[in-house]
Each structure stands twice: as structure tokens, then as C-alpha cells.
Amino acid sequence: MTRESESGLPIEPVYGPQALETWDPDAKLGEPGAYPFTRGVYSSMYTGRPWTMRQYAGFGTAAESNARYRQLIAHGTTGLSVAFDLPTQMGHDSDAPLAHGEVGKVGVAIDSVEDMRVLFDGIPLDQVSTSMTINAPAALLLLLYQLVAEEQGVSADRLTGTIQNDVLKEYIARGTYIFPPKPSLRLTADIFRYCTAEIPKWNTISISGYHMAEAGASPAQEIAFTLADGIEYVRTAVAAGMDVDDFAPRLSFFFVARTTLLEEVAKFRAARRIWARVMREEFGARNPKSLMLRFHTQTAGVQLTAQQPEVNLVRVAVQALAAVLGGTQSLHTNSFDEAIALPTDRSARLALRTQQVLAYETDVTATVDPFAGSYAVESLTDAVEEAALDLMRRVEDLGGAVAAIERGFQKAEIERNAYRIAQETDSGERVVVGVNRFRLDEEEPYQPLRVDPAIEARQAERLAKLRAGRDQGAVDAALTRLKEAAQGEDNVLYPMKEALRAQATVGEVCNALREVWSSYEPSDAF
């Protein structure tokens, strides 16, 4: 009996040579590290060293998150990944009325350079790779990081890491936008230019399908809409006068890894192949690094359950294996208790140990691309690729990613798929262990980690002290220069950095840009 994949594609009970009768291995596969990169972006992949093991962490105050980062580094984490609270993501200070009740809840509260200084206290920024999950105010957090590095004596050309900086997916699936699409894209182009000149090893954007998947996107939708966003960013930078090979090697992507291992491996392979062709054929990229789709993966938070949470350990291990077999460059494994609350120290350590078991106790790092030539995986790769290309063509027919966003196309498609998944789960057609089958009569008690609500008051006190002790005239003058740059065509990151250096807060900088660019109001037109 034929089953359907997460994307609604048929999965046959048996695959054989006939599945690849018209298949051209030279065009479809190539060699690892060579066009079209189906088999991975590096010729040796993990045979020389494993992927970067990141753990996404951040909660409460900068001091509390700093303590967690030090623990993760001590346990063997090779890259930090910073979670910010909602007020920071939305460009509001912790004492703003809109921030009430959210300070420090889903990430760390960062209001100024002082908070960033505390966040990385004792962590040498020339020895760690740091990923920051921040989008609309990504430029601010990157500049704060650079300022702290300068205080440590670390030059910007030694900094490595990534800012997510993918605001288009915020309009589609997540909602932490600030400005309308046009000025947001202008800010993205300014970041590309700034980093090319000032922080050359930094990955300027992590074009993200993860949040679309969390909102209900299928694997085909995830890569289609993510790659369509990537095309929009590249077009924006090229239109701003940049040569594609000057910035494209620093582009990166961010995907989910679900428990459906075979389709996830196929998805990653298809995404690499599509992106390589787009960059070569549409944009004329010549540097092989411009053609590489390098990506970070996070295991699927949406598939974690509050019921029988220890079962999530198994889910995360399977999801992590899918990411590794699919050729990820870095990986975050979710903690088993994240469906209940913030991870405890123990659960975060277990999540990291999951990656270490895969890297050091299995044989998946012994050979490059273990699934190459598999009848099933190669057939699924072709099927996912064709489904994704069809969706990308529909986005193009609407005028590109921004025009499609303004019509509500991507959001509507994802919501339809999410409704299908919910119906299948409710009916029992889609089995979720511990939720609609194999349930316990009574759940075992679990003590989650909780964030102290007094953090909000303490952050407000820190802000009051900061404002009282700074040179307000210097702050006002710097914010005026920032607004003048935003009104014209100068790169806004240079006056933005000086405003932050003068101890302007995240909220004050974002409010200055709101005065010029306004705030985005969503549309449900499609």
C-alpha cells in the first residue's frame, strides 16, 4: 500500500532500478563538494571533522544566559546560538508598556551594549562561533556584538557567526517584524555591504524555513518559500549595486529536521540542487562558494509533546540523524522538555550528548553522503524538488516573494497544510505517540524551569541607571544622524553603531527608524 510523505507525495513500498531509469547521475548528483551539490557542499563532509554542535539558549537576564553559555561550552558545545526575548525581537526596551509580561520569557533581554557586555562576559569572541536568532533588529544586535568584541580587543575580521536577519519569513509565518518590507530589504542590503567591508567572516543572513515548518509548512513548502525569499534578498543586493560573488558566499540557510527521516534527507538534497542552479543560471554567480547552500538545522520543536516528554529524546535523535544524513553544516538538538517550559541544565546537556553520540559512536561520519544512489531517496529527492519548483513558479507568477507576501499567498498555503495535519492528527490517521495512541492513564509529574517574573523590574532599573549616567546629548545627536541616513541612501549601520556606542537602547534606535520607515501592518488579502 502506497503511503504519502509529509508533502503529500507518494512513497512506494518498494523502489528498484526502474525508479531511476531516465535518471542522469552526472546532472543530478555530481561529486560531493561540486555542482550541483546534491551530495553536500564539501568534498570530505564529516570525515575530517563533524558538524558544528550548537545549542540554542537564552533566558532571563544576560547574566543568567551567560552562566548557561559557560556550562554549554564546558560540556563540549562548539558554537553558541542566542535566543532573544520577544521585546528585543520586536525592538522594544524592557520597560516599554508593550514589553510587560514578556521580558526574559522566550529568550534573553538585551536593551543596550551593557547587557551584551554581560551576556558574553568571560567568553572570548575570537574563539567561538555565535549564531543570533534575531531578524528585524538584527543589525543592532550584530553591532552590539562587534562593540563588545572591540572592548575585548578582538578585531571584527576575526569574528565568526551568523545573524538570522530573515525578515521576509516573519511576514509569512512568525510575526516579529517591525518595518514594512521595502525598508526592511534596504536594511538587509546595508548589512550585506557593511559586513563585506567590516566583518568579512560573518554570515549575514540565515534564510529560514524552520519557522514556516513550525507554522505547518510541508517539506516542499518549507524549501520553496525559503528559497524564494533567498532569491528576493539576492535581487535586492544586486539591485543595490553589489556583485553577487561579493556577498553570496556568506549567505546561509536554516531548516527544520522532522522525524520523517527519508523525506527530510531528500529535502536537504533537493534544496542544495535548486539553489545551485538558481545562483548560476539566474544570477550568473562564478565563485563556487556562491552556489553552495550551507545550512543550520534545528530538530522539530513542533513535533515535541508535553505528554510523556521523555519520548521526545527518541524523536530528537531521529530528527538529528536526518539532519546529519542530509548534510547539515551545524545542528541544534531540542531538549526533551521544551514542550513544557525552558530546558533545564540536565535536559540541555542530554540534547548535546545526542549529537555527540551520533558524531563519535556511530559510523555516519565515516563516509560522505551515505544515501547517494538509494533508489528511494533519489526518487524522493526528485519528487520534492519538482513540488518545490512548482511552488516557486507560483510565487514568481505573483511577482516574487514580497509581492506574494503582500497577497498573503505563502501564509495561506502554509495554513492549509497545517489544517490538514491537524485533521489527520485528530482523526488518528497521523499517529503521535503519547497523544492519540499509546497514552498513559496518568502523566508522571515533571518540574520545569521557570523564569523569575522579577526580571522585568530589574531590567527596568538597569535601564533607568543607564539613561541617568549617559551623555544624553550625544545619544540624541547620534539618533538624529541615524534618521538622516535612513531618509537618504547612506548605509544606516555606521550611524547606528555610533548611537549604540553612545549607549542608545535597542528600543530608542528602533523607534528612530520607525519615525522614518513606519511600522508594518499585515494584510490577509489572498
Side-chain angles (χ1 to χ4, degrees), residues 160-205:
T160 60
T162 304
I163 43 173
Q164 193 163 98
N165 190 31
D166 177 11
V167 74
L168 291 182
K169 66 96 174 46
E170 299 295 330
Y171 306 118
I172 294 171
R174 194 160 175 268
T176 62
Y177 40 70
I178 299 176
F179 316 114
K182 187 174 180 180
S184 293
L185 287 173
R186 180 261 177 95
L187 183 55
T188 298
D190 281 357
I191 291 169
F192 287 178
R193 278 197 294 261
Y194 181 86
C195 287
T196 298
E198 306 291 342
I199 318 178
K201 295 180 182 178
W202 198 266
N203 296 319
T204 51
I205 194 168

Side-chain angles (χ1 to χ4, degrees), residues 2-186:
T2 300
R3 286 176 52 182
E4 284 193 350
S5 74
E6 290 285 296
S7 298
L9 306 170
I11 301 179
E12 302 297 335
V14 178
Y15 288 87
Q18 68 277 7
L20 305 178
E21 281 178 355
T22 60
W23 198 67
D24 182 352
D26 293 329
K28 295 282 190 178
L29 278 179
E31 294 298 321
Y35 184 88
F37 301 101
T38 310
R39 301 191 63 189
V41 294
Y42 301 123
S43 59
S44 60
M45 287 305 291
Y46 312 132
T47 58
R49 64 180 179 88
W51 58 93
T52 299
M53 299 180 193
R54 296 191 185 279
Q55 286 306 104
Y56 184 49
F59 64 96
T61 64
E64 290 173 297
S65 291
N66 174 263
R68 175 63 65 85
Y69 296 158
R70 289 176 182 239
Q71 290 172 346
L72 289 171
I73 291 170
H75 292 317
T77 292
T78 54
L80 298 176
S81 188
V82 184
F84 298 94
D85 71 356
L86 281 176
T88 304
Q89 293 180 49
M90 300 293 289
H92 297 296
D93 290 333
S94 295
D95 59 355
L98 285 172
H100 179 62
E102 293 294 341
V103 176
K105 288 291 180 67
V106 299
V108 62
I110 299 293
D111 292 315
S112 70
V113 69
E114 174 61 26
D115 288 328
M116 189 65 92
R117 191 178 291 131
V118 173
L119 185 66
F120 290 101
D121 180 47
I123 299 173
L125 298 187
D126 57 342
Q127 296 178 30
V128 297
S129 171
T130 302
S131 173
M132 293 187 276
T133 303
I134 193 74
N135 294 284
L140 284 76
L141 278 300
L142 173 62
L143 293 172
L144 290 173
Y145 190 84
Q146 184 186 3
L147 287 169
V148 171
E150 289 174 359
E151 293 175 1
Q152 290 187 3
V154 177
S155 61
D157 62 357
R158 294 163 64 193
L159 297 177
T160 60
T162 304
I163 43 173
Q164 193 163 98
N165 190 31
D166 177 11
V167 74
L168 291 182
K169 66 96 174 46
E170 299 295 330
Y171 306 118
I172 294 171
R174 194 160 175 268
T176 62
Y177 40 70
I178 299 176
F179 316 114
K182 187 174 180 180
S184 293
L185 287 173
R186 180 261 177 95

Side-chain angles (χ1 to χ4, degrees), residues 246 318 341 435 437 454:
D246 286 343
V318 173
V435 175
R437 286 184 67 181

Side-chain angles (χ1 to χ4, degrees), residues 296-308:
H296 169 71
T297 309
Q298 181 172 339
T299 56
V302 74
Q303 291 187 321
L304 302 184
T305 64
Q307 299 90 338
Q308 301 180 46

Side-chain angles (χ1 to χ4, degrees), residues 269-381:
R269 295 162 68 81
R272 278 194 295 267
R273 197 154 72 202
I274 294 170
W275 186 249
R277 288 174 178 158
V278 166
M279 293 302 290
R280 188 167 78 170
E281 295 173 9
E282 178 173 343
F283 296 107
R286 300 171 303 281
N287 185 345
K289 292 183 178 179
S290 299
L291 310 179
M292 294 179 182
L293 185 142
R294 296 171 301 111
F295 63 94
H296 169 71
T297 309
Q298 181 172 339
T299 56
V302 74
Q303 291 187 321
L304 302 184
T305 64
Q307 299 90 338
Q308 301 180 46
E310 291 84 357
V311 178
N312 293 328
L313 287 165
V314 181
R315 293 188 177 102
V316 169
V318 173
Q319 293 162 359
L321 182 59
V324 171
L325 291 171
T328 193
Q329 275 59 71
S330 69
L331 177 61
H332 164 78
T333 33
N334 290 324
S335 300
F336 74 88
D337 51 359
E338 288 188 41
I340 302 171
L342 288 169
T344 62
D345 290 346
R346 178 172 177 267
S347 63
R349 184 172 63 251
L350 282 170
L352 176 60
R353 294 290 183 256
T354 301
Q355 295 199 50
Q356 291 165 336
V357 167
L358 289 176
Y360 301 111
E361 294 191 18
T362 77
D363 56 3
V364 296
T365 60
T367 185
V368 176
D369 190 21
F371 269 134
S374 158
Y375 300 131
V377 168
E378 301 297 4
S379 296
L380 275 173
T381 300

Side-chain angles (χ1 to χ4, degrees), residues 460-495:
E461 290 171 7
R462 286 171 60 82
L463 280 165
K465 183 178 179 181
L466 176 98
R467 292 184 182 120
R470 69 190 182 183
D471 182 342
Q472 190 60 44
V475 171
D476 293 341
L479 291 175
T480 296
R481 289 191 292 273
L482 173 62
K483 286 188 281 189
E484 289 171 350
Q487 290 166 343
E489 297 182 357
D490 291 344
N491 192 317
V492 298
L493 269 74
Y494 291 96

